[in-house]
Amino acid sequence: MDIKSMINEEIIKKNFSKAKELTEHFSDPVQRYNALGIIHFYEGNLDLAKSMFEDALKINPIDSDVLFNYSKVLFEKGEYFKSWRYLTRITDKNWEVWDMLGDTQLKLNNPAMAVYYYKKAYESSKLPELKEKYELIRKKYYKGKRIVFLCKEILDSFLGDIIDVLSNIYDTKLVKSDDLNDKIIQAYDWAEIVWIEFANELSIDITNKLSKKNKKIVCRLHSYEALNYFPQYIGWSNVDKLILVSKHIQTILQTFHKNVYPKINDIQIVPNGVNLNKFKFKNRQHGYDIAIVANIDYKKDPAAWMQVI
């Protein structure tokens, strides 16, 4: 029997002192700290367990077992966002990781994201109990509402993950067109909630030429629109909520469109997100050459790039 199995047996017997003695047989400090953290966790000492896992992560910040155990302690301590953060660092996520990611989002009152993770948990395990959990929670939080995302042809690059997640609790459609045509109008009529991506020419046409009826209309302004004429001509009385991607964009909007700004009903700052599951967290060392690949314009402050790098 290996050391881990022996320690697990002692934990089951609640012989925690003996389990701690057995950790001395680990030559690897990460394994020793991890084992001690597990013992303290089952002993009910969450603070000491947290400290042990933190010591392990100082040595190896990408150890999957330690990351999962540390996230579990954070979850039990009610630190749900931090628990989610460390779970996303695990490179090869199994069903337990996906399931716990779902639990963090449910606690953070983000049911769409929770259902997204629970679906991942079931798909990676095929366990019937996880399918049941996924279906029950999806049914509980399903809104039964129709959302359409409207944007110009090449401006949907920020919408993929949003639609993927929201489709778990809403009926969703994405419709792209450079002008107000039958395709846009039909999609608009179908929807109960309209999300207009970018506050540009299409937004001007939709908010001025289409009847609002009882629809909720959301418009998301990124940055270039605030430096242009578009906000002057949008029908703000028909927009229920304006989403901005950062606080400084709000300042720009207020500065350059003083006559329009008071007409905006509700402004919400929602920073652009990054799907961390697409990236592998690892220790970085010096030695890489770095290049900038971008549409270069003044609002991105190219002069500061070398300082940032």
Side-chain angles (χ1 to χ4, degrees), residues 13-278:
K13 296 175 186 175
K14 296 190 176 181
N15 190 353
F16 300 116
S17 296
K18 178 62 177 176
K20 290 171 190 173
E21 290 176 14
L22 289 169
T23 64
E24 296 300 322
H25 294 284
F26 285 119
S27 57
D28 180 359
V30 173
Q31 287 190 331
R32 185 166 65 251
Y33 286 132
N34 188 46
L36 284 168
I38 292 169
I39 295 165
H40 290 305
F41 178 84
Y42 284 105
E43 206 173 13
N45 194 335
L46 296 182
D47 288 333
L48 204 48
K50 181 172 179 278
S51 178
M52 292 295 103
F53 294 133
E54 286 171 347
D55 286 342
L57 290 173
K58 286 175 186 174
I59 302 168
N60 183 359
I62 58 173
D63 186 286
S64 295
D65 287 340
V66 180
L67 285 168
F68 183 79
N69 292 330
Y70 184 50
S71 299
K72 195 171 181 179
V73 169
L74 292 171
F75 186 90
E76 291 298 321
K77 287 177 67 66
E79 299 180 48
Y80 306 119
F81 180 76
K82 196 172 179 182
S83 175
W84 169 83
R85 275 184 54 211
Y86 279 89
L87 287 167
T88 61
R89 291 188 179 188
I90 298 174
T91 301
D92 298 315
K93 296 176 178 61
N94 58 23
W95 69 265
E96 291 178 291
V97 177
W98 291 118
D99 186 53
M100 193 168 163
L101 280 164
D103 292 344
T104 64
Q105 294 307 296
L106 212 54
K107 289 289 189 180
L108 291 167
N109 196 28
N110 189 357
M113 200 77 216
V115 175
Y116 170 83
Y117 284 136
Y118 290 139
K119 184 179 180 182
K120 289 274 192 183
Y122 168 63
E123 289 174 343
S124 63
S125 70
K126 300 302 180 185
L127 291 171
E129 55 267 37
L130 287 179
K131 181 181 181 182
E132 183 181 1
K133 181 178 182 179
Y134 158 67
E135 290 177 345
L136 281 172
I137 293 176
R138 186 177 189 275
K139 183 178 179 181
K140 179 180 178 180
Y141 290 101
Y142 176 65
K143 304 291 185 183
K145 290 185 178 293
R146 302 182 298 277
I147 301 181
V148 67
F149 296 83
L150 304 176
C151 66
K152 297 182 74 173
E153 285 290 352
I154 62 170
L155 295 181
D156 62 324
S157 57
F158 295 102
L159 287 173
D161 288 326
I162 293 172
I163 295 172
D164 197 21
V165 170
L166 289 181
S167 64
N168 289 289
I169 61 172
Y170 292 93
D171 294 330
T172 59
K173 278 185 183 180
L174 168 63
V175 178
K176 298 181 287 182
S177 178
D178 287 337
D179 52 46
L180 186 62
N181 54 26
D182 287 343
K183 186 169 64 169
I184 293 285
I185 293 169
Q186 288 170 11
Y188 180 91
D189 288 340
W190 169 84
E192 296 169 85
I193 302 171
V194 178
W195 176 304
I196 311 172
E197 182 73 349
F198 288 94
N200 52 23
E201 304 98 324
L202 187 61
S203 297
I204 293 171
D205 283 344
I206 291 171
T207 57
N208 285 287
K209 297 179 180 179
L210 299 182
S211 173
K212 187 176 189 299
K213 301 175 183 176
N214 293 321
K215 301 179 189 298
K216 294 292 183 182
I217 298 181
V218 175
C219 180
R220 181 159 69 157
L221 186 154
H222 289 257
S223 61
Y224 84 91
E225 310 100 289
L227 299 166
N228 214 309
Y229 67 88
F230 307 125
Q232 295 291 325
Y233 297 99
I234 289 176
W236 291 112
S237 61
N238 286 331
V239 177
D240 295 284
K241 187 179 292 289
L242 175 66
I243 297 176
L244 302 176
V245 298
S246 67
K247 181 67 178 175
H248 78 273
I249 299 299
Q250 184 175 12
T251 303
I252 292 171
L253 185 66
Q254 191 171 10
T255 302
F256 286 89
H257 303 279
K258 291 178 182 178
N259 62 320
V260 165
Y261 188 82
K263 299 178 183 179
I264 300 173
N265 293 316
D266 184 15
I267 294 177
Q268 181 92 33
I269 308 293
V270 182
N272 280 328
V274 176
N275 185 351
L276 298 179
N277 296 314
K278 293 180 179 179

